[in-house]
Amino acid sequence: EAQVTQNPRYLITVTGKKLTVTCSQNMNHEYMSWYRQDPGLGLRQIYYSMNVEVTDKGDVPEGYKVSRKEKRNFPLILESPSPNQTSLYFCASSRGGTGTYEQYFGPGTRLTVT
Amino acid sequence: AQSVTQLDSQVPVFEEAPVELRCNYSSSVSVYLFWYVQYPNQGLQLLLKYLSGSTLVKGINGFEAEFNKSQTSFHLRKPSVHISDTAEYFCAVSVPGNTPLVFGKGTRLSVIA
């Protein structure tokens, strides 16, 4: 089954404790991205990757890091989480990044930083 | 840069009634337009998209949308909603080139029995 998986689905952590949210897709997609969803703000892109070793900032990259060492994986790293990073996070992938391709979303990771 | 405005944050509607969810966009170049749906506790999935050609686009679950270039709109419609259509709906826009999707803030559709 074609899918995007994220782990963990739920995470409660404390300020400053480094964490990683994993994302993996089995569709051989080149393009992957991370979004955060906040009430009343919709989805905002954090980082995206056009291919292996190619990443770039989205609209709200501050406080986040990503890496793309393999085509299928695109982890999101919070080196020193803060309460304003409490949010619902989605990973997505698509065949390309030209804007015409459907994006496939993971189930989401709900992060709470206390 | 392109932007999307979803005019209604919440839309309550009775079961079997018609519904229209409004979306307006802003862009200085030609656009691609999308509607995504997010069911409770799930990720987003594509409902329909407009890339070119016919301005009336049909999607899954009986939804359709019409691209209106002069009005810069891409409103989503369904003639008769079901309880199972209760979800959040996002309009999104992109432009040619390696550009990301820009999402609207979402419209929460609540279908009342």
Side-chain angles (χ1 to χ4, degrees), chain B residues 24-39:
Chain B
N24 286 89
Y25 68 91
S26 172
S27 174
S28 58
V29 298
S30 59
V31 296
Y32 307 124
L33 293 157
F34 305 77
W35 275 99
Y36 282 83
V37 60
Q38 183 181 28
Y39 297 108

Side-chain angles (χ1 to χ4, degrees), chain A residues 41-61:
Chain A
L41 297 179
L43 279 83
R44 294 177 293 168
Q45 192 180 54
I46 302 170
Y47 268 95
Y48 65 96
S49 169
M50 299 297 297
N51 213 325
V52 176
E53 303 291 3
V54 181
T55 63
D56 209 346
K57 296 177 181 178
D59 296 321
V60 288

Side-chain angles (χ1 to χ4, degrees), chain A residues 80-114:
Chain A
S80 183
S82 62
N84 64 12
Q85 292 178 298
T86 291
S87 187
L88 180 57
Y89 291 87
F90 288 101
C91 180
S93 73
S94 62
R95 283 177 56 198
T98 61
T100 61
Y101 294 104
E102 174 183 356
Q103 292 209 32
Y104 293 81
F105 285 81
T109 295
R110 187 168 292 281
L111 172 65
T112 302
V113 184
T114 62

Side-chain angles (χ1 to χ4, degrees), chain A:
Chain A
E1 180 191 355
Q3 60 181 349
V4 178
T5 56
Q6 295 178 228
N7 283 292
R9 294 289 312 278
Y10 302 91
L11 180 58
I12 300 173
T13 190
V14 295
T15 299
K17 186 176 181 182
K18 181 179 179 180
L19 66 91
T20 299
V21 184
T22 64
C23 172
S24 182
Q25 50 93 4
N26 63 1
M27 294 168 279
N28 201 36
H29 285 167
E30 292 188 349
Y31 184 92
M32 297 184 74
S33 61
W34 277 102
Y35 296 88
R36 59 179 289 173
Q37 182 181 16
D38 301 289
L41 297 179
L43 279 83
R44 294 177 293 168
Q45 192 180 54
I46 302 170
Y47 268 95
Y48 65 96
S49 169
M50 299 297 297
N51 213 325
V52 176
E53 303 291 3
V54 181
T55 63
D56 209 346
K57 296 177 181 178
D59 296 321
V60 288
E62 294 77 21
Y64 304 95
K65 283 176 57 177
V66 293
S67 68
R68 187 93 181 272
K69 294 184 170 56
E70 305 166 280
K71 199 171 187 179
R72 63 185 294 127
N73 297 324
F74 190 45
L76 179 70
I77 303 156
L78 284 72
E79 295 268 4
S80 183
S82 62
N84 64 12
Q85 292 178 298
T86 291
S87 187
L88 180 57
Y89 291 87
F90 288 101
C91 180
S93 73
S94 62
R95 283 177 56 198
T98 61
T100 61
Y101 294 104
E102 174 183 356
Q103 292 209 32
Y104 293 81
F105 285 81
T109 295
R110 187 168 292 281
L111 172 65
T112 302
V113 184
T114 62

